[in-house]
Amino acid sequence: MHILIIGAGGREHALAWKIAQSPQAERVFVAPGNGGTLAEPGVENVDLEPTDAEALIRFAREQQIDLCIIGPETPLVAGVSDALVAAGLRCCGPTRQAARLEGSKDFAKAFMRRHGIPTAAYRTFDDREQALAYLDRIGAPVVVKADGLAAGKGVVVAETLAEARAAVEAMLGQGQFGAAGARVVIEDKLLGEEVSFIVLVSGEQVLPLATSQDHKARDEGDRGPNTGGMGAYSPAPIVTPELQQRIMREVIEPTVAGLRAEGLPYLGFLYAGLMIGADGTPRVLEYNCRLGDPETQPILMRLESDLLELCLAASEGRLTEVEARWRDQAALGVVMAAAGYPGAYAKGQPISGLETAGDSDSKAGTGGAGTDMSTDLSTGGSKTKVFHAGTRYDGERTLTDGGRVLCVTALGADVGEAAANAYARAERIRFDGAFYRRDIGHRALKRGTSR
Ligand code: AMP
Ligand code: GLY
């Protein structure tokens, strides 16, 4: 089979790496990919923009692509999935209308209200004066969110009224985020522990993936500005089997049923960002219409099953016939970022230490295309994999090319061992201005659970 993965980040590197291991995969293309997908055995980069539906369709026809998988939210919200399907191609990714669950916070909140899905109380405003008056009435702490896509930067968790007012002024007054911030959602701040709960959906059928936890703040101790994610691990020990059942019953099932009832049947990955309250109640912070980044990297490290088969089953409406098997081990990924991220950062710094024997990696590893990591593991071999996010290859060297540069991911018997393995590998990688959090996994470690 010929597969086309759309996107350029760490999530897409992990998808391509895993899909290429499927015995059914003959050729795996990534549009446009990065320096890591370029070096990945069995994976080819194609220089196409993720939102250029016409060019993607032309390429997919030429190469007789059997399945397209869209990684990021921007093409999904822009309707690239609809365009591919209308051109007769098979695509694992929701329609533009269904992707509004991520593309409009106001749509998502109203949807949850209509379907009784637990979430923070909220109001939506287009008018600056009215928004400010509302803030003055309810006070802080409070959360101000740009309605549209803002690359993870459109959410301000304000501890003071002044911060909240400044966020409203920036979005509705000064036009920060442009059209995406021309409407804001103001909601109550929720307390508790965050969990990423990702499922594969095909109409009414749902296949939950392994649970995970992300670290969104830039600095250790979960301080500093919000980022796209500085590291993640799987499983999330807070999610007991009982809590998982509750999340399925109270969040996922009503979401999927609600989508169908509104004429928006869903195909693809659906991510519920949840806050688990002190009393164990799950509430939705946000929906994403895609896999998380960097959650995907540790999650796919743990997946034993054939990911291509799962995606095909979803796109053929036979998700209930397949199951996802997970390694017993934990996995943890540490994001190495460029100085300045999530603000402005330099690009083009050479990266050293990428090719080290022992990675579950292309050139350095013993395998090649189709290498099953379990073979490496059973022979005491590789436990780590360096997924590239913002990198490019200039013909000689791999250079930094984004804010989040790499996600160094490792398996271990528990979160602590996975962290030790990932950090040992990260220490051997260098580029000017590199930084990473040293405390990824701290919540799981505090719990002291074995996995
Ligand atoms: P979102 O893009 O809506 O997930 O928001 C990004 C991050 O802001 C979340 O991962 C949370 O850490 C935080 N956040 C969003 N909404 C709330 C809320 N209602 N209460 C507390 N924290 C929130
Ligand atoms: N890591 C959070 C996200 O993918 O939205």
Side-chain angles (χ1 to χ4, degrees):
M1 279 194 163
H2 295 181
I3 320 301
L4 174 62
I5 295 166
I6 296 166
R11 165 186 48 216
E12 288 74 33
H13 187 186
L15 280 168
W17 166 80
K18 186 66 189 170
I19 294 273
Q21 291 170 26
S22 167
Q24 299 182 74
E26 289 161 66
R27 296 185 78 178
V28 179
F29 299 95
V30 190
N34 57 37
T37 53
L38 187 76
E40 195 63 50
V43 177
E44 300 164 66
N45 283 2
V46 272
D47 192 13
L48 297 175
E49 280 301 312
T51 47
D52 189 349
E54 258 178 55
L56 292 166
I57 290 167
R58 211 175 312 122
F59 176 82
R61 285 190 173 144
E62 270 164 28
Q63 296 295 333
Q64 300 180 335
I65 297 293
D66 299 287
L67 180 69
C68 305
I69 302 173
I70 303 180
E73 63 278 17
T74 308
L76 289 164
V77 171
V80 171
S81 180
D82 310 57
L84 293 169
V85 171
L89 294 156
R90 197 150 41 157
C91 180
C92 187
T95 60
R96 185 172 67 86
Q97 288 295 337
R100 288 177 74 202
L101 278 186
E102 175 165 5
S104 166
K105 304 260 186 213
D106 175 52
F107 174 83
K109 295 295 286 190
F111 175 90
M112 287 187 264
R113 187 178 274 172
R114 285 195 291 280
H115 298 287
I117 296 161
T119 186
Y122 82 106
R123 292 267 311 267
T124 299
F125 296 92
D126 302 300
D127 182 77
R128 171 177 157 276
E129 294 302 326
Q130 286 176 11
L132 292 173
Y134 178 69
L135 283 179
D136 288 342
R137 202 163 75 241
I138 64 163
V142 67
V143 183
V144 179
K145 300 183 172 185
D147 178 52
L149 294 183
K153 294 170 193 160
V155 174
V156 177
V157 181
E159 296 304 329
T160 64
L161 184 58
E163 278 175 78
R165 289 182 62 100
V168 163
E169 288 287 5
M171 293 180 203
L172 293 181
Q174 289 133 35
Q176 187 192 16
F177 309 123
R183 169 173 287 183
V184 300
V185 165
I186 299 181
E187 68 179 34
D188 292 354
K189 183 184 172 190
L190 297 174
L191 298 177
E193 189 169 334
E194 277 187 67
V195 167
S196 305
F197 198 86
I198 307 175
V199 296
L200 182 55
V201 181
S202 174
E204 277 150 281
Q205 304 172 7
V206 179
L207 180 77
L209 303 188
T211 57
S212 56
Q213 255 166 320
D214 178 18
H215 295 262
K216 289 214 169 81
R218 183 191 59 193
D219 303 330
E220 275 139 41
D222 296 319
R223 288 167 205 279
N226 251 332
T227 70
M230 294 299 294
Y233 54 95
S234 171
I238 186 178
V239 186
T240 58
E242 295 71 39
L243 180 56
Q244 167 135 353
Q245 275 183 9
R246 195 165 166 197
I247 293 168
M248 289 298 289
R249 204 172 53 239
E250 295 176 18
V251 175
I252 303 296
E253 287 165 14
T255 300
V256 170
L259 284 164
R260 273 185 67 84
E262 298 194 12
L264 305 171
Y266 198 97
L267 170 60
F269 295 97
L270 176 67
Y271 167 140
L274 304 172
M275 187 71 92
I276 310 299
D279 64 351
T281 302
R283 291 189 181 82
V284 178
L285 290 171
E286 62 165 344
Y287 289 112
N288 294 322
C289 58
R290 52 172 174 84
L291 285 160
D293 188 344
E295 291 94 325
T296 302
Q297 292 83 316
I299 288 176
L300 292 187
M301 265 320 250
R302 292 188 59 223
L303 180 64
E304 282 177 334
S305 311
D306 179 345
L307 178 64
L308 177 53
E309 177 52 24
L310 301 184
C311 293
L312 287 170
S315 64
E316 291 164 8
R318 48 178 184 84
L319 205 45
T320 46
E321 292 168 23
V322 294
E323 58 164 359
R325 290 183 317 281
W326 303 97
R327 276 176 222 290
D328 216 16
Q329 292 151 299
L332 181 141
V334 177
V335 169
M336 295 185 76
Y341 177 77
Y345 49 82
K347 288 185 183 178
Q349 306 298 330
I351 309 171
S352 67
L354 287 172
E355 277 154 52
T356 305
D359 276 358
S360 171
D361 216 340
S362 42
K363 296 178 201 153
T366 48
T371 304
D372 180 355
M373 225 177 36
S374 60
T375 321
D376 298 2
L377 291 169
S378 61
T379 55
S382 164
K383 296 187 191 67
T384 66
K385 173 74 187 168
V386 181
F387 293 110
H388 292 220
T391 73
R392 71 186 172 87
Y393 186 66
D394 73 352
E396 276 175 39
R397 298 169 306 175
T398 302
L399 307 175
T400 68
D401 197 36
R404 292 192 291 175
V405 176
L406 303 166
C407 182
V408 182
T409 312
L411 289 165
D414 52 28
V415 171
E417 195 182 290
N421 291 337
Y423 280 113
R425 184 68 187 86
E427 270 164 29
R428 304 206 299 274
I429 299 176
R430 300 229 145 74
F431 57 88
D432 269 2
F435 79 92
Y436 51 93
R437 279 181 59 165
R438 313 275 159 167
D439 66 344
I440 302 302
H442 68 88
R443 277 193 217 91
L445 295 175
K446 251 180 247 136
R447 273 174 194 275
T449 42
S450 62
R451 291 212 290 112

